[in-house]
Amino acid sequence: RTSLTSSTSSSSTTGLCLDGDTTVMLASGQAVLAREVKQGDLLLGVGECGKTGKQLVTDCFSGIQTRVQIEHEGGKLVCSSSHEFVCVNGRAVAAKMLCVETDILLSDDLKPLRLKSIRAIDPGEVFGWSCTPSHTYFAGGLLNHNKTRSITFTSATTPAQ
């Protein structure tokens, strides 16, 4: 399994996620930039049972961290190297550990998306937040994930592979 590694050291700040220009989906269907997400917002995400639902933002923060640029079939985004994405099999994988050859991510409509490339870029400001109940949300055209280690999709919610 090949994964991305970077010799740039990261900030001690943890839980930071996305470049400020990344689009984040609200539960209302509107999109906002990651830098605009605020406490009290309702994000669109997926619960631990694989059903789409609302995620309440309880805290927001930003800082400088090591970043990667991920290009996938639906576009590209910049995130911290430790930020996690949900793969088709429901497991969460840190951006720096994603493998272009084998990992398939989930789009914002829970369809499989293949990775095209992952590359380290200069450290920069990234934005993050805590949300409840399961801390998953759609951003940059992908299902993003920070808190739980996996999502169990039921037969009614299983993404097409």
Side-chain angles (χ1 to χ4, degrees):
R1 191 175 155 88
T2 57
S3 62
L4 177 72
T5 57
S6 171
S7 60
T8 310
S9 63
S10 67
S11 161
S12 61
T13 307
T14 59
L16 298 175
C17 304
L18 302 165
D19 179 80
D21 292 331
T22 303
T23 304
V24 179
M25 293 303 300
L26 298 177
S28 68
Q30 292 181 288
V32 298
L33 298 178
R35 69 168 48 92
E36 299 170 339
V37 172
K38 61 187 181 312
Q39 189 174 356
D41 280 350
L42 290 174
L43 305 181
L44 183 61
V46 173
E48 292 179 24
C49 294
K51 292 185 180 180
T52 303
K54 298 175 182 176
Q55 302 291 320
L56 174 66
V57 176
T58 58
D59 195 15
C60 298
F61 26 85
S62 67
I64 306 298
Q65 279 197 335
T66 308
R67 301 180 304 161
V68 297
Q69 180 178 340
I70 296 174
E71 185 176 0
H72 55 84
E73 291 174 318
K76 60 184 169 184
L77 63 88
V78 172
C79 63
S80 66
S81 61
S82 61
H83 183 60
E84 293 182 342
F85 295 92
V86 179
C87 293
V88 170
N89 63 5
R91 70 186 172 87
V93 178
K96 66 184 172 190
M97 298 302 292
L98 287 169
C99 179
V100 172
E101 294 87 16
T102 59
D103 287 322
I104 300 173
L105 303 180
L106 287 171
S107 69
D108 52 13
D109 58 357
L110 296 179
K111 301 276 192 267
L113 281 179
R114 293 208 176 272
L115 292 166
K116 290 184 173 182
S117 66
I118 306 165
R119 67 180 182 92
I121 61 174
D122 291 338
E125 187 172 26
V126 287
F127 295 80
W129 43 86
S130 296
C131 53
T132 187
S134 67
H135 200 86
T136 66
Y137 50 88
F138 295 102
L142 298 172
L143 181 55
N144 293 245
H145 189 55
N146 279 355
K147 188 176 180 184
T148 51
R149 286 281 161 237
S150 66
I151 293 175
T152 303
F153 290 100
T154 64
S155 59
T157 62
T158 301
Q161 292 192 29

